[in-house]
Amino acid sequence: MIIPVYRFAEVALYSILSFLPFLLLALCPFRKQLRFPPKITVVLIVAFCLVQIYLGLLAAFFPIYTGLISILSTVICALFYFFVVKARFGKVLFTLLVLSNSANLVVVLSKSLEGLIFHEPALDPYRWSLCLCMLVAHLLITFPLFFYVRSKYTTAMEVQAFSWGYLWVIPTTFYLIWYYHLYLTGQGSLQVAPNIKNTVFLLLLNLGAA
């Protein structure tokens, strides 16, 4: 089977939109605590993006391995984040989990919007219509979240307190609930997302974590 070039572009664009904004958002509170100089950090981010695009292509064109690829992508993302940021473990883990929950909400909301607005393209994964809906979801969720992180969250990360040793348990609990609902039921995010009840469910999880 010959895969059209535009399908590679669609999947690559989706991969970038689904993780890069949240990666930059996750680095924002620790911009003064990065392990490497800015130029090296940028090179590492570009390399990480290429890896994520490659995994996205595998997930799109070999859907039988979607669950395994999603887990691998999550592990690589966590390792990269801990490798780049030099801060207290509890703070880094707390931030990673909170923004992971928000990223999942953006993906599921995007697919729900695609199912409501676009019908035929929504039947296929990682289409241009999904990328368009994800831009809308970023405007609704990620954009306001950015200002909150800049104004409030970054200040909170500067506080040195014993509580950072256990506060990460809170977003972990909500993350595991969603993880079970998503991967241990034999479905992927793009399969459960069209059901509006799943979007509401994830929204409530994010509100609970918040």
Side-chain angles (χ1 to χ4, degrees):
M1 180 181 65
I2 300 177
I3 301 174
V5 175
Y6 74 87
R7 287 292 290 133
F8 286 97
E10 286 178 331
V11 176
L13 179 58
Y14 167 80
S15 298
I16 293 175
L17 289 175
S18 63
F19 74 85
L20 184 58
F22 286 99
L23 173 61
L24 298 179
L25 199 59
L27 293 176
C28 181
F30 305 109
R31 59 185 180 274
K32 297 180 181 179
Q33 302 179 65
L34 298 178
R35 197 178 300 274
F36 306 100
K39 290 184 179 180
I40 296 179
T41 302
V42 170
V43 171
L44 291 174
I45 290 175
V46 172
F48 175 72
C49 289
L50 294 176
V51 171
Q52 290 296 323
I53 290 174
Y54 175 72
L55 293 176
L57 292 171
L58 290 179
F61 303 126
F62 300 94
I64 190 174
Y65 301 112
T66 298
L68 180 61
I69 293 172
S70 297
I71 295 173
L72 179 61
S73 175
T74 301
V75 171
I76 292 175
C77 182
L79 292 175
F80 174 83
Y81 192 45
F82 280 100
F83 179 66
V84 171
V85 175
K86 185 177 61 176
R88 187 168 178 176
F89 177 82
K91 291 182 180 182
V92 179
L93 183 58
F94 183 91
T95 303
L96 177 63
L97 291 167
V98 167
L99 293 180
S100 293
N101 288 333
S102 300
N104 283 328
L105 178 59
V106 166
V107 171
V108 172
L109 176 60
S110 302
K111 192 61 181 179
S112 296
L113 290 175
E114 185 192 27
L116 292 173
I117 302 173
F118 306 94
H119 301 291
E120 185 176 348
L123 298 177
D124 297 324
Y126 313 108
R127 294 300 308 274
W128 61 268
S129 52
L130 179 57
C131 296
L132 183 61
C133 290
M134 185 164 285
L135 289 175
V136 175
H138 278 310
L139 289 176
L140 294 175
I141 298 175
T142 314
F143 191 66
L145 189 59
F146 170 78
F147 288 100
Y148 173 76
V149 170
R150 285 291 302 270
S151 62
K152 302 293 184 181
Y153 193 88
T154 300
T155 303
M157 288 297 106
E158 295 174 353
V159 175
Q160 301 298 327
F162 176 77
S163 55
W164 288 117
Y166 58 83
L167 281 177
W168 57 269
V169 175
I170 299 173
T172 299
T173 302
F174 290 95
Y175 181 84
L176 290 177
I177 293 173
W178 170 244
Y179 187 89
Y180 172 81
H181 182 71
L182 178 61
Y183 294 114
L184 300 186
T185 56
Q187 302 180 86
S189 59
L190 299 185
Q191 283 70 50
V192 302
N195 189 335
I196 192 64
K197 291 187 294 184
N198 291 316
T199 305
V200 175
F201 172 71
L202 185 53
L203 175 61
L204 293 176
L205 282 181
N206 275 268
L207 290 176

